[in-house]
Amino acid sequence: MNQFEVLADPVRRRIVELLAPGERTAGELTIAIGEEFGISQPAVSNQLRILRETGLASAQRRGSTRLYALQPEALDEVDAWLQRQRRFWDQRLDALGTELSRGRKEES
């Protein structure tokens, strides 16, 4: 499973968003995701496992707590793809902005 397939799932995407600011415990993630999506602890654990196995998240045990962290380098493939798309759209959006400006000037 590649990063695009992993992030296509809204639950996993939300977990990545929750991890972006910093580490979160498995319990915190389970509560947040369970409340938002109405899924059970085992279902959240399964999504966390997928994120770990694909390298998007890491888990570290601290006592009886498991802390999850985002692995930003795992998003490099997604970022590279977005950069290529952004260049394409930036040119077209700039051209659209120019045309819209011309239209406003002609209306005045």
Side-chain angles (χ1 to χ4, degrees):
M1 189 179 297
N2 67 37
Q3 279 78 7
F4 292 100
E5 292 169 315
V6 173
L7 295 172
D9 182 273
V11 172
R12 291 189 293 261
R13 203 168 44 246
R14 182 66 178 130
I15 293 170
V16 168
E17 290 170 355
L18 291 170
L19 291 174
E23 292 179 329
R24 303 281 297 258
T25 67
E28 291 171 326
L29 293 168
T30 297
I31 290 167
I33 296 299
E35 288 175 357
E36 191 169 335
F37 291 92
I39 61 175
S40 66
Q41 183 274 328
V44 174
S45 291
N46 186 51
Q47 300 304 327
L48 290 168
R49 180 186 54 77
I50 292 168
L51 289 170
R52 280 193 325 271
E53 288 176 355
T54 57
L56 283 167
S58 63
Q60 183 179 36
R61 274 222 173 286
R62 289 201 188 140
S64 62
T65 304
R66 184 174 281 214
L67 286 172
Y68 282 85
L70 185 62
Q71 298 300 299
E73 65 278 358
L75 294 170
D76 288 348
E77 177 186 348
V78 174
D79 187 48
W81 183 86
L82 286 172
Q83 288 298 329
R84 290 190 302 273
Q85 305 318 307
R86 197 170 287 124
R87 279 184 290 187
F88 171 78
W89 284 107
D90 283 347
Q91 294 169 358
R92 276 135 181 94
L93 291 173
D94 289 345
L96 176 61
T98 300
E99 291 302 317
L100 291 173
S101 293
R102 284 183 189 156
R104 280 191 217 113
K105 287 178 186 174
E106 290 174 9
E107 288 177 3
S108 302

